[in-house]
Amino acid sequence: MAEIQENKMGTEPIGKLLLKMSLPTIFSMLINSLYNVVDGIFVAKIGEKALTAVSLALPLQFLIISFSVGTGIGVNSLISRKLGEKDQEGVDSAANHGFFLGIVNYIIFFLLGIFFTKPFFKMFTSDQEVFKYGMDYTSIVLLFSFGVIMSISCEKTIQGTGNMNYPMIFQLIGAVVNLILDPILIFGMWGIPAMGVKGAAIATVLGQIMSMIYAIFIITTKDFGFHLNLKNFRFKKDTVKQIYQVGLPSIVMQSISSFLTIALNSILIAFSDTAVSVYGIYSKLQSFVFMPIFGLNQGLMPLFGYNFGAGNKKRLMDTLKIGMGIACMIMLVGTAGFWLFTDKLLLMFSATEEMLTVGIPALRIISSCFVLAGVGIISATLFQALGNGSMSLFVSLIRQLILILPLAYLGAKMFGVSAVWYAFPVSEGVAMIISLLMVAKIYKTKIKNI
């Protein structure tokens, strides 16, 4: 078995290393958040029905990301642990299976695009204009999802080795291409006809495809400490099992967000299309707050996994403390922004008076749970990195299914649309307490004696 030289994840000062590994990803995710928001701003100029249609499509887009990122997290965690154990064969096997599983994921979403898009939108609206906008946008996003799926596969594989710079560039390419093409394809410029909502979808997938092309070029021409050999690929059940021990709970955990959005949209649409649009706007805006946390996670995940694999308890716990502190600071800043600039944020999306009336209290109530959510997210990253993805899944079920949906449904029935928003801070508070109790448990059972 080939030996691996000592990795920077086991030697460099944690604070400096965490920032070095996280900042590129935080920056690129903020850029991605920006283009999601810009997408919404441009679509809102077409009309509120277009914004409603794209908001209804969000759960399916989240589902693509859930499968891609969840599988990638499993690959990432396995690679970092095998690096810590100095198992080169295990590192290579994880990287090659990551690519294979990305192809499998694309086939799933291609079939969904063909058979599921139409019945999906029929469940939510009888408005023909909303239905047409939704079909135009979602069918393109699903049928051409290979770009985002394979680019994420490359990102997570490279991140597992501790390299965060190239994944940042991959995301930047997709974001910049989308930002440039959005106004051109939506409104028509330079002889290109206006395509409306369909143009927004085409701009999105073209950006993702360009990102994928560059990512594949880089991962096949640079040395990242693993060896890709898809030509002689041999399927190994044990490698897939190890990937999905972490990845499957992550997929389910993130997919819960999609099902939550579907369920909340079905509750909100009973009040008005505006309520659905407000929740769609929130989903886009909150990414500016949550994406830096997820970017931080990309630095934390390999650090947790490597130092656990290497048996370095002190570095592992120091990483957890520093990560928690940074996450809470980010969430505090995000909460302040949502409270101080609520009306201005909504007006970016051409908000009507009705949208402001519904949206201002909604954004303020939901954002009050940001710090609570930050603690839960960092705890979940620790669980995943140590191979305990089921613990992350349990916390997510508390946050996004077991508590929030019954609270939202009953609140809507008894008190109206405003009560839906209060389900968020209540659920996050309970989930945070459970997360901290589980961190204490995993410390006693897996960390204390390493």
Side-chain angles (χ1 to χ4, degrees), residues 73 76-77 80 297-306 381 384-385:
I73 284 173
N76 182 313
S77 176
S80 60
N297 282 351
Q298 302 311 309
L300 287 170
M301 176 76 75
L303 281 175
F304 285 149
Y306 183 92
T381 304
Q384 290 170 335

Side-chain angles (χ1 to χ4, degrees), residues 26 288-290 292-293 296 325-335 370-371:
I26 290 172
F288 274 110
V289 184
F290 280 80
I293 303 296
L296 179 68
I326 295 173
C328 288
M329 286 190 290
I330 292 171
M331 289 302 200
L332 279 172
V333 172
T335 303
F370 283 173
V371 174

Side-chain angles (χ1 to χ4, degrees), residues 1-7 77-91 242 305-311:
M1 183 183 299
E3 289 193 0
I4 299 174
Q5 297 299 314
E6 187 65 43
N7 190 284
S77 176
L78 183 57
I79 286 176
S80 60
R81 280 183 279 130
K82 293 301 180 182
L83 282 170
E85 296 166 7
K86 297 180 171 52
D87 178 2
Q88 184 66 59
E89 184 180 345
V91 172
Q242 291 182 73
Y306 183 92
N307 288 291
F308 179 73

Side-chain angles (χ1 to χ4, degrees), residues 31-312:
I31 294 296
N32 271 316
S33 298
L34 177 63
Y35 91 73
N36 283 330
V37 169
V38 170
D39 252 4
I41 292 171
F42 283 137
V43 168
K45 293 183 183 298
I46 299 172
E48 189 172 322
K49 288 189 177 183
L51 183 59
T52 299
V54 172
S55 297
L56 289 171
L58 278 175
L60 296 180
Q61 289 182 282
F62 288 160
L63 207 57
I64 297 172
I65 302 300
S66 298
F67 272 72
S68 305
V69 172
T71 302
I73 284 173
V75 174
N76 182 313
S77 176
L78 183 57
I79 286 176
S80 60
R81 280 183 279 130
K82 293 301 180 182
L83 282 170
E85 296 166 7
K86 297 180 171 52
D87 178 2
Q88 184 66 59
E89 184 180 345
V91 172
D92 295 343
S93 180
N96 282 280
H97 279 77
F99 271 76
F100 169 76
L101 295 171
I103 295 169
V104 173
N105 284 338
Y106 170 61
I107 293 171
I108 292 170
F109 286 101
F110 180 83
L111 294 174
L112 279 177
I114 294 175
F115 298 111
F116 186 65
T117 308
K118 188 173 182 178
F120 176 80
F121 277 94
K122 281 189 172 181
M123 288 192 300
F124 290 100
T125 183
S126 58
D127 187 305
Q128 288 304 305
E129 193 174 359
V130 173
F131 180 81
K132 182 182 183 304
Y133 284 142
M135 286 291 297
D136 286 346
Y137 186 86
T138 310
S139 58
I140 292 171
V141 168
L142 289 174
L143 293 176
F144 294 91
S145 59
F146 63 87
V148 65
I149 291 171
M150 297 312 298
S151 64
I152 289 174
S153 178
C154 293
E155 288 169 20
K156 300 304 176 192
T157 302
I158 293 174
Q159 285 170 352
T161 69
N163 187 306
M164 301 296 166
N165 291 321
Y166 276 113
M168 175 189 71
I169 296 171
F170 303 160
Q171 292 192 41
L172 282 173
I173 288 172
V176 170
V177 170
N178 184 79
L179 282 168
I180 293 171
L181 292 180
D182 251 345
I184 296 172
L185 299 182
I186 292 173
F187 305 114
M189 294 181 182
W190 304 323
I192 297 175
M195 294 184 237
V197 170
K198 188 179 292 186
I202 294 172
T204 295
V205 298
L206 285 177
Q208 294 165 349
I209 291 169
M210 291 301 296
S211 175
M212 177 199 72
I213 291 170
Y214 182 71
I216 291 175
F217 170 75
I218 291 297
I219 207 167
T220 54
T221 57
K222 304 288 184 182
D223 182 11
F224 294 102
F226 54 79
H227 308 107
L228 288 177
N229 188 6
L230 298 179
K231 183 178 180 181
N232 298 316
F233 174 77
R234 294 291 181 273
F235 180 83
K236 293 183 179 179
K237 184 178 178 181
D238 185 60
T239 300
V240 174
K241 180 181 177 181
Q242 291 182 73
I243 288 171
Y244 280 116
Q245 279 178 338
V246 174
L248 184 58
S250 180
I251 289 171
V252 176
M253 182 173 62
Q254 295 186 66
S255 297
I256 291 170
S257 177
S258 296
F259 295 120
L260 171 67
T261 302
I262 291 171
L264 287 178
N265 281 341
S266 68
I267 293 170
L268 294 170
I269 206 162
F271 293 97
S272 66
D273 287 354
T274 300
V276 173
S277 295
V278 164
Y279 184 59
I281 290 171
Y282 163 75
S283 296
K284 291 178 182 296
L285 290 173
Q286 60 89 25
S287 65
F288 274 110
V289 184
F290 280 80
M291 285 302 177
I293 303 296
F294 297 140
L296 179 68
N297 282 351
Q298 302 311 309
L300 287 170
M301 176 76 75
L303 281 175
F304 285 149
Y306 183 92
N307 288 291
F308 179 73
N312 195 327

Side-chain angles (χ1 to χ4, degrees), residues 416-442:
V417 69
S418 296
V420 175
W421 318 127
Y422 281 103
F424 286 84
V426 173
S427 300
E428 293 288 6
V430 174
M432 183 196 72
I433 294 170
I434 292 173
S435 296
L436 293 176
L437 291 173
M438 292 171 73
V439 168
K441 178 181 178 181
I442 203 170

